[in-house]
């Protein structure tokens, strides 16, 4: 019996020694694990935008075309010329129309002597039609602008509605863009629009929202959209009407956050937050704000890109309402994304 008791006591002692050793080894490994884990302070760009695309147009555009058939007698401008509203671009042969008006005026003069008032009134109406036929033998500018292209020459024979060129007014550029019905409520007149043109050497061209109609449209895809009008007042010379673009309507200003895992942050006895730089162990005081369950925003003390030591273990550093800078939320805080803007990523893995 005495030998059995002695063996049991010795066994218990051995187990106690082994348990203590295992606990010590586990603590040492845990400390070593914490010391070897690092986190990088990341810059996170948060855009609250509506993405758009389309084709830019001139402020005004006039398709030059013959209003009636005939032979071209005169072409008064060339491509690249600037014209004023009412300037005659092209003149068709109008000898027949002029003759018909003169003959009608002679008949009217005779009718005024012997005819009735009803006959005179009818002939005056007919005269207006003859005058319009003479006007239709000319192609005129309907606004001040530039001849963008012109393809006609004296002697050409034209048919009614033959296209001969284009006048554009490029005092500003404009476009209609499709906005999803769920994003229309976020639009405001004057909102900033950033345009990108593949054909331009300028990275970003600024414009703004002009307005949108009070009615939606259903596309061929079955989606309900509203066509908003956007405009560019100042644009580089290498952007021309009908160039394609992509862009972003800015619902709210872009926000840049510095984000890091909360396990890279520790607190001193005064509840002041601090971090340690991995390269030299330097302690840096920081101001932080909770950013979801596993991350914090660095409000002050760092610039971004720093690699930090892990100072607390996930299982030993629960985040609750009593933690400095915490609010108890399990989700990231901050503005929610609008339109088609991207939500902030869910965080970075330990490095």
């Amino acid at each position: 019996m005495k030998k059995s008791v002695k063996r049991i006591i010795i066994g218990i002692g051995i187990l106690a020694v082994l348990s203590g050793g295992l606990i010590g080894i586990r603590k040492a490994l845990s400390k070593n694990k914490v010391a070897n884990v690092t986190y990088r302070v990341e810059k996170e760009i948060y855009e609250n935008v509506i993405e758009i695309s389309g084709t830019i147009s001139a402020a005004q555009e006039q398709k030059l075309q013959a209003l009636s058939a005939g032979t071209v007698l005169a072409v008064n401008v060339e491509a690249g010329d600037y014209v004023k509203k009412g300037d005659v671009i092209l003149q068709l042969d109008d000898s027949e129309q002029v003759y018909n008006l003169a003959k009608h005026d002679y008949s009217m003069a005779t009718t005024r002597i012997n005819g009735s008032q009803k006959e005179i009134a009818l002939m005056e109406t007919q005269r207006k039609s003859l005058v319009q036929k003479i006007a239709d033998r000319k192609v005129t500018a309907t606004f001040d602008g530039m001849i963008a292209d012109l393809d006609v020459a004296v002697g050409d024979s034209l048919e009614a509605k033959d296209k001969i060129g284009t006048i554009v007014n490029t005092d500003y550029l404009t476009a209609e863009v499709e906005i999803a019905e769920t994003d229309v409520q976020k639009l405001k007149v004057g909102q900033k629009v950033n345009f990108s043109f593949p054909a331009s050497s300028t990275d970003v061209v600024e414009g703004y929202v002009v307005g949108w109609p009070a009615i939606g449209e259903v596309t061929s895809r079955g989606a309900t959209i509203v066509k908003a009008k956007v405009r560019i007042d100042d644009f580089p010379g290498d952007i021309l009407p009908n160039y394609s673009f992509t862009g972003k309507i800015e619902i709210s200003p872009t926000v840049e956050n510095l984000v890091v895992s909360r396990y890279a942050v520790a607190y001193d006895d005064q509840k002041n937050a601090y971090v340690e730089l991995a390269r030299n162990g330097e302690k840096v005081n920081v101001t932080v704000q909770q950013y979801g369950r596993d991350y914090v925003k660095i409000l002050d003390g760092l610039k971004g890109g720093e690699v930090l030591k892990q100072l607390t273990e996930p299982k030993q550093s629960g985040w609750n309402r009593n933690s400095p800078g915490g609010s108890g939320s399990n989700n990231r805080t901050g503005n929610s994304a609008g339109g088609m803007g991207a939500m902030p990523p869910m965080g970075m893995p330990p490095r």
Side-chain angles (χ1 to χ4, degrees), residues 8-151:
I8 292 173
I9 293 173
I10 292 172
I12 293 172
I14 293 172
L15 289 174
V17 171
L18 291 175
S19 297
L22 289 174
I23 291 172
I25 292 171
R26 183 179 294 176
K27 289 183 177 180
L29 291 174
S30 177
K31 289 181 180 180
N32 185 57
K33 181 180 178 182
V34 170
N36 290 332
V37 175
T38 60
Y39 299 93
R40 184 180 297 276
V41 179
E42 302 284 357
K43 288 185 177 180
E44 183 178 84
I45 306 299
Y46 174 39
E47 292 183 314
N48 188 10
V49 299
I50 300 174
E51 294 185 354
I52 58 174
S53 62
T55 303
I56 204 71
S57 300
Q60 291 176 286
E61 181 175 324
Q62 177 188 352
K63 300 294 184 183
L64 300 176
Q65 58 184 20
L67 298 178
S68 57
T71 303
V72 178
L73 289 185
V75 179
N76 301 323
V77 297
E78 297 179 353
D81 288 351
Y82 284 88
V83 294
K84 296 288 186 181
K85 180 178 179 180
D87 285 353
V88 177
I89 309 300
L90 173 147
Q91 175 69 60
L92 294 176
D93 179 13
D94 62 355
S95 56
E96 180 181 350
Q97 288 73 24
V98 171
Y99 169 78
N100 290 336
L101 178 61
K103 182 179 179 181
H104 184 75
D105 285 345
Y106 177 80
S107 298
M108 279 187 66
T110 303
T111 304
R112 290 183 189 280
I113 298 173
N114 300 317
S116 66
Q117 291 297 320
K118 288 186 177 182
E119 288 180 300
I120 295 173
L122 182 61
M123 296 186 75
E124 286 179 347
T125 301
Q126 186 179 3
R127 188 179 191 281
K128 291 178 181 179
S129 175
L130 293 173
V131 170
Q132 184 61 49
K133 288 182 179 180
I134 293 176
D136 288 347
R137 307 302 287 176
K138 301 174 183 177
V139 178
T140 59
T142 58
F143 56 81
D144 297 353
M146 181 185 72
I147 303 295
D149 65 88
L150 192 66
D151 184 19

Side-chain angles (χ1 to χ4, degrees), residues 206-322:
E206 289 190 9
Y208 56 93
V209 175
V210 175
W212 58 95
I215 187 172
E217 299 181 23
V218 179
T219 69
S220 58
R221 307 182 304 273
T224 301
I225 56 94
V226 167
K227 289 187 176 180
K229 190 173 183 180
V230 293
R231 172 170 162 169
I232 304 174
D233 288 339
D234 299 316
F235 54 93
D238 59 355
I239 296 178
L240 300 177
N242 298 323
Y243 274 15
S244 63
F245 67 84
T246 58
K248 297 177 181 179
I249 300 175
E250 190 175 278
I251 306 304
S252 61
T254 299
V255 177
E256 183 178 276
N257 295 322
L258 296 183
V259 182
V260 72
S261 171
R262 66 186 178 91
Y263 305 122
V265 181
Y267 299 87
D268 59 22
D269 295 338
Q270 286 74 41
K271 304 288 180 119
N272 295 317
Y274 67 90
V275 297
E276 287 187 14
L277 302 181
R279 58 185 173 84
N280 58 10
E282 178 186 353
K283 179 179 176 180
V284 179
N285 293 323
V286 293
T287 304
V288 300
Q289 179 183 356
Q290 181 183 349
Y291 196 50
R293 183 175 60 187
D294 296 322
Y295 293 88
V296 293
K297 284 195 289 186
I298 305 295
L299 304 181
D300 186 48
L302 299 175
K303 295 182 179 179
E306 295 91 347
V307 178
L308 309 178
K309 291 182 178 180
Q310 178 175 310
L311 299 183
T312 55
E313 290 186 86
K315 292 183 180 180
Q316 299 174 355
S317 58
W319 190 266
N320 54 49
R321 295 181 183 275
N322 298 322

